Amino acid sequence: MGRDGQLHLYGVVAARLKQAHTRVANPEVPDETRRELSRRLLAVTAVAKHDLADAARRLDALTAELDELGIPDR
C-alpha cells in the first residue's frame, strides 16, 4: 500500500476507534460489558500501531458486536 493509502487508512481507523470508544463509554452499557469491550478496544489500538489492515478487520468485528448489543452512537 502506498503512503497516501496508508495515511488514508490510518485516518479511517482512527475515526472509527474514536467512535467505538464513545459507544463503549455510553453510561447505559453495563460495567462488566464495558470492561470487556474496553480491553478489546485497547487491543485493537495496539494492533493499529503495527498493522492497520488487521486493526481495521478487528474493529469491523467489534463494531458488529456493538451493533448486535444495541449500543448506539452518541
Side-chain angles (χ1 to χ4, degrees):
M1 178 180 303
R3 182 168 170 81
D4 289 339
Q6 188 79 356
L7 288 174
H8 175 73
L9 183 57
Y10 177 80
V12 169
V13 170
R16 290 182 59 217
L17 277 170
K18 183 177 178 181
Q19 180 184 31
H21 278 280
T22 299
R23 290 177 76 180
V24 169
N26 185 325
E28 296 174 15
V29 176
D31 288 340
E32 188 172 321
T33 302
R34 183 180 302 115
R35 279 191 295 273
E36 176 60 29
L37 293 170
S38 293
R39 280 192 291 271
R40 291 179 58 197
L41 275 169
L42 288 171
V44 172
T45 302
V47 169
K49 294 176 184 177
H50 306 287
D51 187 344
L52 281 173
D54 187 33
R57 284 188 294 276
R58 291 176 185 223
L59 190 53
D60 285 342
L62 183 59
T63 300
E65 186 172 337
L66 292 173
D67 292 342
E68 288 174 16
L69 291 171
I71 300 173
D73 289 334
R74 284 203 252 162

